[in-house]
Amino acid sequence: MRTAEIKRRYLAHFEANGHTVVPSAPLPAVDDPNLLFINAGMVQFVPFFLGQRTPPYSRATSVQKCIRTPDIDEVGKTSRHGTFFQMNGNFSFGDYFKEGAIKLAWELSTNPVDKGGFGLDPERIWATVYLDDDEAIDIWRRTGLPAERIVRRGKKDNFWSMGIPGPAGPCSELYYDRGGAYGKEGGPEVDEDRYLEYWNLVFMQHEITNVKSKEIFDIVGDLPNKNIDTGMGLERIASMLQGVDNLYEIDEVKPILAKAAELTGKRYGQAVSHIAAESHPDDVRLRVIADHVRTALMVISDGVIPSNEGRGYVLRRILRRAIRSMRLLGWQEGPSLPLLLPIARDCMAPSYPEVAAEYDRISQYAYGEEERFLATLSAGTTILDLAVTDTKAKGGKVLAGDKAFQLHDTYGFPIDLTLEIAAEQGLRVDEDGFRRLMAEQKANAKADAQARKTGHADLSVYRAALEQGGPVEFTGYREVSRETRVRSLLGAPVAGEGEEISIVLDATPFYAESGGQLADLGVITFGGGKVEVLDVQSPLPGLVVHRAKVLAGEVRAGDTAFAEIDVDRRRAVSRAHTATHLIHQTMRNFLGESATQAGSLNAPGRLRFDFNTPSAVPASVLHDVEQQVNEVLLRDLLVHAFITSQEEARKLGAMALFGEKYGDEVRVVEVGDYARELCGGTHVERSSQLGLVKILSEASVGSGVRRVEALVGLDAFGHLAREHVLVSRLAELFRVPGDQVADRVEQTVAQLRDAERELEKLRTQLVLSGAAGLADSARDVRGVALVATEAPEGTSANEVRTLVQEIRGRIPAERPAVVAVTSRAGGKASLVVAVNAAGKSRGLSAGALVKGALSGRGGGNADLAQGGGVPAAEAPNLLLAVEKAL
Ligand code: ATP
Ligand code: MG
């Protein structure tokens, strides 16, 4: 039975029994800060189980995409662990309980295939239950399982909780006996590969507190509403129903494995037994490749891109592990993903059409990552090989931590790869040392950033200021100045003229730097003094700190104050911020939804916008983006900000940064009907106030992230005006109309290049014209024709070499001949020597003569050699040395 059919039957069975079919949530677990990826079907229903929200149905069923990163090391070694897998599940929210769950699971497992079931042999099914869950045992007995195939197990295996106070309960797992060929007899406690767990039924019935660990807690009572959560591994049951040994051999995975085997020339299935633990290492690698390529496809499809952190790092590791496994199997032909990933796509597209529809985007990220990794590999491997050889030569067994760190830091060489390569060479790596260096680097970077921003490393000062008067009100959305009061001065009770001080006000129109928008600057005046605001930061949510310099008088806590921002600067920054929103939206219009913001800077009149996209944006697209943005300005759209609920904002389609956490209320900024985005920044009132947006450049700032820089308003105009002046001046100099300047420059450059070449030719001719005369002047030195001379000042090294060979060619071949020419340049002398065939038969060698004259330095062969680097005045001595050596 094909995997897609198993999935269909599962959902159909539960739908027929009153369950609402709920689609899978995307793989990234955006609502849970402790989880990178969804790892079970119940995750999207957690708020229902915790009673935080009321479910719109009392029974649900789903097939959830899951990633379990902790299982990555099991892949290929057991028969049943994938990094990506699909979990079929049925859920009851205060509806049916144990009896219902067991009955529904039993029916689907054992109903004959022609009646819509899976047709499993009831005689081979085993169940485990929690130690004292007699109720479950009783139900199983009544359902038809004999006592000897019901096993009691402890908390570790058969009690479910989330590791926090809240709902918990016993579980009951279903196992299928794959038969004697798969391992030892005796039930799941003896062999979990032979007895394959395919379904876990969780009976949420208790409430727990005092949770010390997964196994140590107190049960406080029973839940008013008992729930059911089940999970059946789709791949596991597919391996059973397809009669294959493991989940890497099912229809959705095996073709990738087969392709990898074909490419590397390996024969899969070399072990004689069915037992996973006895597999040939090559088979394990092929399974890893198949699993990881499929996982990468699904992960990228759900919007994750390779990076050095969080989900992106998991993806990077998975991709790199697959690529490297291919290499370990002998693949050396360059990129392998372009051959493997399309197979994964064809396997998964029947169930997930989006992997085919978006294959261009998905494959660009995957292929790009492989290219980068191959480059990293070739640079890093050389360095690592040297370090390994070095360590071994010194009799060491441990590769130094700073080596591993350097490889990571300079070459982006992942530590797991260093570990793997070192292990292959019989070395360990000082991992502790490596981690210490990594931690140091991280801490330094953090402290640096903190110190730069706030000038204070200690947050307790800020906490005190916040507690003193509650959150500081930011009034700058609607006003540019305001009457207020100094709540506190940080670090000193009073500040006098010339001093720098940090001021907290009760309320402020000053915008603190955040979300890429630079801080407002301005002045604050008091009864007795005045300060200039140099920077504004928000070191804690709700706290605004003005870093200021006292211009006159004194400032003290409790003073009334008048705060006034620099309006021109604010306007110029706001223009940049609104422009950023427009560029963001327009990029998405042209490059697709995945071109999301990855960072930004909004400064007066200029902006930087980083976004995710796999490759360079073509100049023509950039031009179109710029054009469209400027068209939007002319439409004079109203810019409007409002507060709404998170759900409402989502419904409106407001762009929110991927994985970002917001509270319940969010602020949405919209530019007419063109762009809508969650944003806390300040903006212009109408799009026409931007005047003009000019994109200056587009470049890469790391893997899969591009950056555009742009000017806005008068700064954009100023830039264009300056360029215009430049073009006019060039046009004048070249005496052509402005639009022909480029052609003319190109022409002129080409002419210059031709002229240079011509000149070079003439000079060579000139030098060579002396060759005949010099050949005639050869002196006989102990039976050898010697020409020893100095080239005219300014002769290039190339020319000297040509000259030497030219002279040699003009001496009759039967005479043994040596030609030695020196030249001077930059205060140094060099020497070129040539020997002809007859000379070589006499045992003369150009290389030896040069080395002799230059005491060992220089290079070449018996025919022609050169050397230099001695003071220019030595030139005549070099010639004498050659002569003496004959
Ligand atoms: P195991 O002990 O075999 O690792 P588990 O106890 O971690 O399994 P559960 O957390 O109960 O599994 O998940 C429910 C079901 O999901 C399991 O019964 C199994 O069928 C499936 N499953 C769990 N982990 C994986 C995996 N890494 N690959 C494929 N299927 C899995
Ligand atoms: Mg597990």
Side-chain angles (χ1 to χ4, degrees):
M1 197 182 293
R2 297 190 69 86
T3 305
E5 173 60 14
I6 301 174
K7 172 175 166 179
R8 195 196 59 73
R9 279 178 189 234
Y10 189 93
L11 295 175
H13 174 68
F14 286 98
E15 196 173 18
N17 282 288
H19 292 67
T20 302
V21 178
V22 178
S24 172
L27 283 168
V30 284
D31 292 327
D32 184 345
N34 297 315
L35 204 57
L36 289 178
F37 292 104
I38 302 264
N39 60 5
M42 58 85 65
V43 174
Q44 67 165 322
F45 302 112
V46 164
F48 301 156
F49 290 131
L50 293 180
Q52 293 165 342
R53 278 171 43 203
T54 317
Y57 28 67
S58 59
R59 300 176 174 203
T61 180
S62 68
V63 176
Q64 174 66 50
K65 297 182 264 188
C66 296
I67 301 272
R68 289 198 179 176
T69 42
D71 285 348
I72 205 169
D73 293 321
E74 306 293 329
V75 171
K77 295 183 194 151
T78 73
S79 63
R80 59 184 208 281
H81 290 103
T83 31
F84 168 84
F85 67 98
Q86 299 153 86
M87 196 187 283
N88 300 342
N90 53 287
F91 309 90
S92 155
F93 309 106
D95 194 69
Y96 62 83
F97 197 52
K98 253 176 239 188
E99 175 110 38
I102 290 178
K103 186 168 155 282
L104 285 165
W106 181 260
E107 278 172 12
L108 180 61
S109 298
T110 58
N111 275 354
V113 171
D114 56 14
K115 299 249 161 56
F118 293 145
L120 295 181
D121 178 359
E123 304 288 313
R124 290 163 72 174
I125 295 178
W126 289 59
T128 59
V129 298
Y130 180 57
L131 289 179
D132 62 4
D133 194 356
D134 294 335
E135 187 189 355
I137 294 187
D138 186 48
I139 300 170
W140 277 122
R141 295 291 303 274
R142 279 189 276 115
T143 311
L145 265 191
E148 64 270 21
R149 278 191 276 126
I150 305 174
V151 185
R152 293 179 196 256
R153 291 182 98 173
K155 282 208 179 91
K156 185 166 148 310
D157 296 294
N158 279 55
F159 198 92
W160 177 90
S161 80
M162 304 210 302
I164 51 170
C171 5
S172 179
E173 296 164 332
L174 281 83
Y175 287 78
Y176 194 65
D177 180 2
R178 306 223 62 197
Y182 287 83
K184 287 193 276 308
E185 195 140 349
E189 288 203 290
V190 175
D191 191 324
E192 293 211 6
D193 260 338
R194 166 169 172 176
Y195 298 91
L196 179 64
E197 175 193 336
Y198 69 95
W199 206 339
N200 189 2
L201 316 179
V202 178
F203 312 128
M204 263 181 239
Q205 62 187 84
H206 304 303
E207 172 139 20
I208 58 170
T209 59
N210 281 337
V211 184
K212 303 258 167 13
S213 74
K214 277 255 179 204
E215 290 177 58
I216 303 173
F217 49 79
D218 296 334
I219 294 179
V220 275
D222 280 356
L223 291 171
N225 281 326
K226 295 188 177 128
N227 302 314
I228 289 294
D229 150 33
T230 87
M232 169 201 261
L234 178 55
E235 286 76 3
R236 289 196 187 174
I237 185 142
S239 70
M240 287 154 45
L241 297 180
Q242 291 173 14
V244 293
D245 283 354
N246 52 59
L247 52 76
Y248 322 101
E249 294 174 19
I250 66 167
D251 57 337
E252 282 186 351
V253 189
K254 183 68 188 287
I256 317 170
L257 192 159
K259 185 71 186 182
E262 176 201 318
L263 291 174
T264 55
K266 298 289 177 191
R267 201 169 58 78
Y268 177 72
Q270 299 185 45
V272 275
S273 91
H274 292 284
I275 300 170
E278 293 169 3
S279 302
H280 189 281
D282 285 351
D283 286 356
V284 175
R285 287 206 170 114
L286 288 169
R287 293 174 194 150
V288 166
I289 294 164
D291 172 86
H292 287 13
V293 169
R294 181 169 89 127
T295 301
L297 174 87
M298 299 307 293
V299 170
I300 304 177
S301 165
D302 273 355
V304 178
I305 61 175
S307 75
N308 277 336
E309 262 175 22
R311 299 180 188 104
Y313 186 64
V314 173
L315 170 61
R316 170 160 285 169
R317 211 180 137 203
I318 285 170
L319 274 169
R320 294 189 164 192
R321 202 152 172 255
I323 296 162
R324 187 153 151 74
S325 299
M326 282 296 284
R327 311 241 127 205
L328 290 174
L329 288 176
W331 172 258
Q332 288 182 336
E333 315 293 317
S336 58
L337 288 178
L339 302 163
L340 295 170
L341 199 66
I343 314 280
R345 172 198 60 203
D346 297 342
C347 288
M348 299 308 288
S351 283
Y352 302 93
E354 65 273 18
V355 300
E358 289 193 39
Y359 189 70
D360 278 352
R361 175 182 69 81
I362 298 171
S363 58
Q364 275 186 49
Y365 282 117
Y367 300 169
E369 178 65 12
E370 179 164 30
E371 269 168 35
R372 269 188 297 278
F373 185 49
L374 294 184
T376 300
L377 270 186
S378 60
T381 311
T382 319
I383 311 276
L384 181 54
D385 284 349
L386 283 175
V388 166
T389 321
D390 222 41
T391 311
K392 282 183 162 173
K394 292 189 190 124
K397 291 242 170 303
V398 183
L399 191 77
D402 57 356
K403 257 291 164 240
F405 177 74
Q406 185 205 346
L407 275 162
H408 175 91
D409 200 44
T410 323
Y411 300 96
F413 213 66
I415 180 69
D416 36 307
L417 203 56
T418 305
L419 291 173
E420 225 170 289
I421 296 181
E424 277 157 21
Q425 300 282 331
L427 290 185
R428 283 189 300 109
V429 176
D430 173 13
E431 264 189 272
D432 289 342
F434 169 79
R435 296 204 192 287
R436 206 171 39 245
L437 289 166
M438 283 292 283
E440 266 172 31
Q441 189 199 40
K442 257 210 172 121
N444 286 344
K446 237 185 167 162
D448 248 30
Q450 186 69 24
R452 254 201 333 271
K453 294 262 176 216
T454 59
H456 276 274
D458 183 7
L459 284 180
S460 60
V461 185
Y462 299 124
R463 278 204 198 93
L466 191 58
E467 272 156 25
Q468 202 178 319
V472 174
E473 192 196 351
F474 170 63
T475 63
Y477 290 136
R478 47 175 204 276
E479 59 189 19
V480 293
S481 63
R482 105 172 260 114
E483 187 91 39
T484 176
R485 195 185 65 95
V486 179
R487 175 187 295 180
S488 56
L489 298 183
L490 303 184
V494 54
E497 197 171 318
E499 286 184 281
E500 277 195 22
I501 186 79
S502 293
I503 304 173
V504 178
L505 301 174
D506 278 344
T508 180
F510 281 84
Y511 183 85
E513 177 179 347
S514 80
Q517 179 176 335
L518 292 189
D520 280 330
L521 304 183
V523 291
I524 308 175
T525 44
F526 313 89
K530 181 174 182 176
V531 303
E532 180 187 359
V533 175
L534 307 173
D535 191 18
V536 188
Q537 294 290 333
S538 175
L540 290 174
L543 184 69
V544 180
V545 178
H546 308 77
R547 183 96 202 126
K549 184 173 180 161
V550 182
L551 297 179
E554 276 186 356
V555 190
R556 349 176 145 260
D559 279 358
T560 41
F562 186 73
E564 199 177 358
I565 67 168
D566 175 343
V567 178
D568 286 342
R569 175 187 161 91
R570 157 71 80 80
R571 287 224 175 96
V573 172
S574 299
R575 277 196 289 269
H577 202 156
T578 308
T580 298
H581 283 208
L582 292 177
I583 291 178
H584 186 188
Q585 179 60 51
T586 312
M587 280 295 178
R588 288 168 63 127
N589 293 351
F590 281 92
L591 301 175
E593 292 294 289
S594 57
T596 48
Q597 178 165 343
S600 68
L601 172 79
N602 298 301
R606 98 194 135 80
L607 66 93
R608 211 165 65 199
F609 173 65
D610 297 348
F611 55 106
N612 297 309
T613 196
S615 48
V617 183
S620 64
V621 173
L622 222 50
H623 179 267
D624 290 346
V625 167
E626 188 179 69
Q627 167 109 9
Q628 191 167 107
V629 167
N630 281 290
E631 276 167 18
V632 173
L633 307 192
L634 294 183
R635 282 166 58 196
D636 190 26
L637 299 175
L638 181 72
V639 182
H640 169 60
F642 57 97
I643 306 283
T644 182
S645 71
Q646 180 142 204
E647 285 94 71
E648 193 54 32
R650 252 178 224 188
K651 261 187 240 149
L652 287 170
M655 292 188 281
L657 298 192
F658 194 55
E660 194 162 332
K661 270 290 215 213
Y662 283 98
D664 260 342
E665 299 267 271
V666 292
R667 184 169 184 265
V668 177
V669 173
E670 55 184 19
V671 185
D673 54 358
Y674 188 78
R676 197 173 277 133
E677 196 165 325
L678 299 199
C679 176
T682 67
H683 291 268
V684 299
E685 287 96 45
R686 303 198 71 90
S687 67
S688 54
Q689 288 169 357
L690 301 190
L692 181 68
V693 174
K694 174 74 201 139
I695 295 181
L696 294 182
S697 63
E698 191 267 357
S700 165
V701 280
S703 63
V705 181
R706 311 287 305 181
R707 165 174 296 174
V708 290
E709 304 204 37
L711 296 175
V712 189
L714 272 183
D715 293 87
F717 169 77
H719 172 80
L720 292 179
R722 275 192 303 281
E723 295 225 315
H724 179 75
V725 169
L726 191 68
V727 171
S728 304
R729 187 157 153 64
L730 287 172
E732 218 176 276
L733 286 172
F734 283 108
R735 294 179 209 290
V736 290
D739 59 355
Q740 288 172 25
V741 166
D743 286 345
R744 176 52 67 88
V745 170
E746 204 175 351
Q747 258 173 34
T748 311
V749 169
Q751 276 168 4
L752 261 176
R753 211 180 302 118
D754 287 350
E756 266 164 18
R757 253 189 239 122
E758 189 63 17
L759 197 66
E760 163 102 19
K761 218 162 81 196
L762 288 174
R763 287 177 49 116
T764 308
Q765 273 168 14
L766 196 67
V767 169
L768 293 185
S769 65
L774 286 166
D776 287 346
S777 74
R779 290 181 289 125
D780 183 275
V781 180
R782 291 180 279 282
V784 178
L786 172 69
V787 177
T789 185
E790 175 157 351
E793 183 94 46
T795 314
S796 76
N798 241 336
E799 287 162 356
V800 175
R801 264 195 311 278
T802 317
L803 175 66
V804 166
Q805 293 172 78
E806 188 70 25
I807 299 172
R808 179 179 61 187
R810 284 169 187 266
I811 297 172
E814 66 281 2
R815 286 183 74 186
V818 171
V819 182
V821 177
T822 54
S823 59
R824 306 178 195 217
K828 301 278 177 197
S830 47
L831 167 71
V832 181
V833 174
V835 175
N836 68 0
K840 282 195 293 178
S841 344
R842 285 258 316 241
L844 292 169
S845 153
L849 288 170
V850 166
K851 286 211 162 95
L854 283 160
S855 20
R857 272 177 299 166
N861 52 32
D863 294 297
L864 185 68
Q866 62 187 355
V870 295
E874 285 292 304
N877 293 336
L878 296 179
L879 295 176
L880 279 178
V882 171
E883 179 167 351
K884 269 201 199 146
L886 295 180

